[in-house]
Amino acid sequence: MASSPRPARLRQLLALAILAGLAVAAGSVLAAARLDRADFVLNNATEIQSLDPHTVTGVPEGRVMRAIYEGLVVKHPETLAPLPGMAASWEVSDDGLHYRFHMRSGAVWSDGELIDAEDFAFAWRRLLSPETAAEYAYQLWCVEGAEAWTLLPDDRRYRAFDGSWWQEIEPGRFRVGRTDFVRTASVAAGSRPFTSNDPMQHVGFPEVRGSRTEEADGGTADFWRYEFTRALQRDGYELQVLATNSSDGLDGDPDASRWVFELQLDPDAVARLELMDAATFRELTWREHVGIKASDDGTVLDVTLNQPTPYFLDLCAFYPLFPVSASAIERAKERWPATWRIEWLKPEHLVTNGPYRVAFRRVNDRIRLAKNSTYWDADRVAFDTIDVLAVDHLGTSLNLYLTGEVDWIDRPIAGVIPRLMPREDFEPAPYLGSYFYRVNTTKPPFDDVRVRRALALAIDRREICEKITKSGEQPAHGIVPRSLAGYPGADFAHARDEATYEANLAKDLDEAKRLLADAGYGPDGDEFPTFEILYNTDQTHKDVAEVLASRWARDLGLSVKTLNQEWKVYLDSQRTLDYDVSRSAWIGDYLDANSFLDLWVTDGENNRTGWGDARYDALIAQAAREPNEARRLELLTEAEAILMEALPVIPLYDYTTRNLTNPRLGGFFGNALDEHFPKFFYWMDDAELAAKRAAGDPDAVRVPARGPSAGMYPPAGRDAVYRASNEAPR
């Protein structure tokens, strides 16, 4: 029922008056910069790590990447369904293993060069290359051969003829093993013969007939145990087999599961092997063995997967899979051989393919984005300029928004959230994100699961959600947000059958004290060492860290300090395991539980806890190969149960969105990943704004909708924009 105009007006005045104290002119950042105001201004809350899409991982970085680059597909701003991007169309095979992308004709980089399938093959190869050290390289390991190609050890040499690796233990003495690129295995398995134009043609290994053992690691055990050395001997190599490695390994050697033989060869034989380093071997094996193929004319990109991957198209819209200009990188290498890694990313040298380009960058101030006139869909891009600010102080950020100098912030001060709730420009919603603490399991006493479990149990999650975050966040006892539809999930064990929350918490606290005592700490044991909670600059992170430090000190008798670090330093501390306990979060890269669970495989780039578990790794790998969706979710749930038993990560709560956006902004929609796309933004005119308000909550407090009353629409006109519930204009 619509409320009467007078009460609504009173509510509006009251809400604005309450917030007026926060909107004090704080010596505006924008005014100090002495720049013309951009058409649209957002605060990104931090300085981003880099403008290289292959080396960044954060949400702030993703916002910039989606503005200046574009992948094979883009996401619908409301539903997140895949839409054509650099690929005008695509087909998927019936078995879900083969994708064929047809490149958009006439698409060009910001320097005017044509974009084709080879640009994506180059970019994906760069993402996978160990030289790039991309933390998101594993996202492409669903592609045939990609994981093995990335993980080829650099401390070994390789023989292209048979795909074997050789590690010299002492002069002339080698350990030899199998890569996944064993050329002779296909002959042994009776599959296709090698052709005369094959770059690593088979010319002498006998075909293995008769019984064979199960295939493993790209070859057969029979071939490697009985035919490998025989083939070398037939080719005239003088060698002595010093040892063979059983499946159980020899003498507990840590590499025992991987090497097959120890061989002694004379120096002449070693020279004739023509062994090559890992980089050369990767160069030789890329096109033949990795399932990423660009057609000769550049119009088609063919991708072959190891197994069906339901979210592969979502990955194609994810910024680590965005292309980068090979020509721009090569030019930088030629011009600045020593510093090219820095030079090619400078705004004056950076070449991009998205709706915007980088006009300039002032570190710790802003990135000014300018419309990319060469972008294929430029006629449907409304804003000519966008400023991305790096203001990390939440009070200053809110001031800038309330005074109209910023049009979008994603994190207001938690303390004012109750007063923001009635406003039309603040609509919290479930968000596929998890807030948790990482624990450095390599460092005593946190290498003891009893200690980790004690810390996890002694947390009042409801207190954090109700008194700190205040936006409807839900306490979490699992790492996958429970807002993900269809996923059963697994929580860590805690008291949940008591009549009240307080009783549950008291029971958990008693269990936490018992666990610490069992681990040898407390009045009758050792003193627990002082430790630090690491967090990056943000008022909410500070408040949560201080509450947990206080709780752990009061309830468990622990000595806890807090340590604040700037974003880049904080990320480096996590990567190098230079922390005790660290504030962390993960936002789903795609709408699937795997996005939260494949992080924690042993030595995973985004693991950053030092924890690993063979059974967990096997379940994640098995789920990736499982074609039955129900069974796949069961496997992922079983993996989450292992994670929540070991607790290298301590879940705190599931996110909600906290965006404050100018009511006049069009093309901005709430969605499960809280991803937003500047390509679709525009300013509504007064008529469209009035229609939006009329269709919305009649009790919502109206706030100033700053911006042009005539709106700002793309050159293609009003009909070329995205509106709620409308399909994409094409």
Side-chain angles (χ1 to χ4, degrees), residues 48-58 61-62 64-66 68-69 122-124 126-127 129 131-136 319-325 329 340-347 350-352 358 361 367 568 575:
I48 66 171
Q49 295 171 275
S50 173
L51 292 168
D52 182 349
H54 300 156
T55 62
V56 297
T57 62
E61 287 77 9
V64 177
M65 299 303 114
R66 287 191 292 271
I68 63 177
Y69 296 101
F122 167 82
W124 290 9
R126 182 175 184 267
L127 175 66
S129 173
E131 184 180 348
T132 308
E135 293 184 36
Y136 268 134
Y319 62 80
L321 274 66
F322 288 172
V324 293
S325 169
I329 291 175
W340 68 268
R341 288 179 176 83
I342 297 172
E343 294 293 340
W344 82 273
L345 291 169
K346 290 183 177 179
L350 185 64
V351 175
T352 58
V358 179
R361 181 182 184 185
I367 297 172
K568 292 182 181 179
R575 289 191 192 99

Side-chain angles (χ1 to χ4, degrees), residues 638-687:
E638 186 179 347
E640 187 177 13
I642 292 173
L643 185 70
M644 291 299 96
E645 179 69 23
L647 289 170
V649 290
I650 300 174
L652 296 184
Y653 60 82
D654 294 343
Y655 272 116
T656 58
T657 61
R658 291 187 286 170
N659 295 301
L660 270 169
T661 54
N662 186 328
R664 193 178 290 276
L665 181 62
F668 185 105
F669 303 100
N671 59 60
L673 297 180
D674 201 29
E675 290 184 357
H676 306 285
F677 309 91
K679 166 180 178 171
F680 304 124
F681 293 171
Y682 66 96
W683 289 129
M684 301 179 188
D685 63 16
D686 286 348

Side-chain angles (χ1 to χ4, degrees), residues 537-563:
T537 304
D538 180 283
Q539 187 63 45
T540 298
H541 304 333
K542 179 177 185 290
D543 292 345
V544 172
E546 289 177 347
V547 164
L548 291 191
S550 175
R551 280 272 181 178
W552 287 336
R554 184 193 70 190
D555 296 336
L556 299 179
L558 307 181
S559 176
V560 189
K561 298 179 179 180
T562 61
L563 174 63

Side-chain angles (χ1 to χ4, degrees), residues 400-414:
L400 291 170
Y401 176 78
L402 293 173
T403 55
E405 295 183 85
V406 168
D407 303 304
W408 168 30
I409 64 174
D410 72 337
R411 284 178 291 173
I413 301 171

Side-chain angles (χ1 to χ4, degrees), residues 53-54 68-70 86 106-116 118-120 122-123 322-328 331 344 350-354 357 372-376:
H54 300 156
I68 63 177
Y69 296 101
E70 184 169 282
M86 287 292 106
V108 297
W109 293 98
S110 56
D111 64 357
E113 287 194 13
L114 286 174
I115 300 172
D116 63 14
E118 189 56 45
D119 288 300
F120 279 87
F122 167 82
F322 288 172
V324 293
S325 169
S327 297
R331 286 195 296 268
W344 82 273
L350 185 64
V351 175
T352 58
N353 73 321
R357 58 178 178 82
N372 178 8
S373 61
T374 68
Y375 177 58
W376 70 271

